[in-house]
Amino acid sequence: MLKLTRKTEYALIALSHMQRFTPKNLISTKELAKLYQLPVELLAKTLQQLAQAEILEAVKGAYGGYKIKTPLEQINMTEFFEVLEGEVGLTDCHTNTDCSQKNLCNIKTPMQKINKKMRTFFDEISLKEVVGN
Amino acid sequence: MLKLTRKTEYALIALSHMQRFTPKNLISTKELAKLYQLPVELLAKTLQQLAQAEILEAVKGAYGGYKIKTPLEQINMTEFFEVLEGEVGLTDCHTNTDCSQKNLCNIKTPMQKINKKMRTFFDEISLKEVVGN
DNA sequence: TTAAATACGATAAATTTTGTCGGAATTAAA
DNA sequence: TTTAATTCCGACAAAATTTATCGTATTTAA
């Protein structure tokens, strides 16, 4: 349980590769997909999201591609996850005003505490740590 | 992201209620479902799982129901989650020998470290803490 | 014997994730 | 200026998972 989605996994694999092998140079989606046998289209979207979040720098056009823009030590896992998936937390009591439980819910306050703890947990892990090298 | 499933939420709601209002007495699935407006059948299965795991004690037959068997302070969230959903972890590199990435995967070792950390994180939170009271 | 409960497997419905397709915009190089 | 290689983006299809329902068996107090 609490598994990452493929998209996030693909992102980590891509970042790990860039970090190790092409930190200064561009690498294209196609190339990455081939290297790690990932579905090109999905990887493409993932990298686009990372570019929007300025984790990657995108260079369009022929001979374009991506490279790491923000040093991975400066990005924590909460931020990273939230670029690709929604808000980090075991529930979305906080955000979601129209929780079906409404006033019946008896675990709201404790869940909010755990969610906070969890965010802190992932805040303290940098992307660099996860991506290795 | 990393959200709990409904089943786990229902389990927490049920446990919270029992802890507060019926720690000595039985309460039936039907009653709980009514109180918190939860789907009876799904709640039923959830409670059955908790009973199998000896978190709850089940009493069959008329006037039967459930009550807490193991004090909630003695159950940590890793254990609890794993009763209802699979193994806790962001990936299942460790368990799953036939990961599609196979030898191509470049994030296995760091992911295993994070997974371990995450388990430790949830090991240190007791069910009582989450269920409140 | 009956009614009220748990137990459990099968399956249907809904939702989410994953993957694909088609085209638009950009740009280096021929 | 044309072409080929790329990012970008929205829509949609397929697959997987989660959520809910149904039917039936078993248990047991009254």
Side-chain angles (χ1 to χ4, degrees), chain B:
Chain B
M1 72 161 307
L2 303 177
K3 295 285 176 287
L4 298 180
T5 61
R6 289 280 161 80
K7 222 164 69 172
T8 306
E9 281 185 27
Y10 297 165
L12 290 172
I13 290 171
L15 286 169
S16 175
H17 182 90
M18 292 183 201
Q19 172 88 346
R20 291 187 206 195
F21 301 115
T22 60
K24 300 281 182 185
N25 305 349
L26 296 175
I27 184 168
S28 73
T29 306
K30 205 173 158 189
E31 212 173 336
L32 276 168
K34 200 167 203 175
L35 275 170
Y36 296 95
Q37 291 177 23
L38 307 176
V40 194
E41 302 293 346
L42 192 51
L43 178 62
K45 281 198 187 155
T46 306
L47 299 179
Q48 281 160 33
Q49 280 183 273
L50 296 181
Q52 272 192 319
E54 308 207 48
I55 292 172
L56 293 181
E57 181 187 334
V59 174
K60 294 183 194 173
Y63 296 83
Y66 297 94
K67 66 176 175 179
I68 292 170
K69 183 170 187 182
T70 305
L72 302 187
E73 307 88 287
Q74 291 174 28
I75 303 166
N76 71 45
M77 292 310 287
T78 305
E79 292 176 65
F80 175 69
F81 286 153
E82 292 189 348
V83 166
L84 296 171
E85 315 189 20
E87 187 167 33
V88 167
L90 296 178
T91 56
D92 31 37
C93 305
H94 29 307
T95 341
N96 197 353
T97 50
D98 51 22
C99 159
S100 63
Q101 277 302 118
K102 287 187 180 130
N103 41 2
L104 291 176
C105 185
N106 59 4
I107 52 167
K108 191 168 174 177
T109 313
M111 283 316 295
Q112 289 179 343
K113 277 189 210 157
I114 303 291
N115 284 338
K116 206 163 193 174
K117 271 198 191 183
M118 217 173 108
R119 292 175 64 87
T120 304
F121 173 76
F122 285 117
D123 281 348
E124 286 166 356
I125 303 174
S126 77
L127 193 43
K128 173 121 190 234
E129 246 181 280
V130 179
V131 146
N133 181 264

Side-chain angles (χ1 to χ4, degrees), chain A residues 11-78:
Chain A
L12 290 172
I13 290 171
L15 286 168
S16 174
H17 182 90
M18 293 183 200
Q19 172 89 345
R20 291 188 205 194
F21 302 114
T22 60
K24 299 283 181 183
N25 305 349
L26 296 175
I27 184 167
S28 73
T29 306
K30 207 173 157 189
E31 211 172 337
L32 276 168
K34 201 167 204 176
L35 276 169
Y36 296 95
Q37 292 178 23
L38 307 176
V40 194
E41 301 294 347
L42 193 51
L43 179 62
K45 278 194 192 163
T46 306
L47 298 178
Q48 282 162 32
Q49 282 183 273
L50 296 181
Q52 272 191 320
E54 307 205 52
I55 292 172
L56 294 181
E57 181 189 334
V59 174
K60 294 182 196 174
Y63 298 81
Y66 296 95
K67 65 176 176 179
I68 291 170
K69 183 170 189 182
T70 305
L72 301 188
E73 308 87 288
Q74 291 174 28
I75 303 166
N76 70 47
M77 292 309 288
T78 306

Side-chain angles (χ1 to χ4, degrees), chain A residues 73-126:
Chain A
E73 308 87 288
Q74 291 174 28
I75 303 166
N76 70 47
M77 292 309 288
T78 306
E79 289 177 66
F80 175 70
F81 286 153
E82 292 189 347
V83 166
L84 296 171
E85 314 188 21
E87 186 166 33
V88 167
L90 296 178
T91 56
D92 32 37
C93 304
H94 31 306
T95 340
N96 196 354
T97 49
D98 51 22
C99 159
S100 63
Q101 277 303 117
K102 285 183 180 134
N103 40 3
L104 291 177
C105 187
N106 59 4
I107 53 167
K108 192 168 174 177
T109 313
M111 284 317 294
Q112 288 180 344
K113 277 188 208 157
I114 304 290
N115 284 338
K116 206 163 194 174
K117 271 198 189 183
M118 216 172 109
R119 293 175 64 85
T120 304
F121 173 76
F122 286 116
D123 281 347
E124 286 166 356
I125 303 175
S126 78

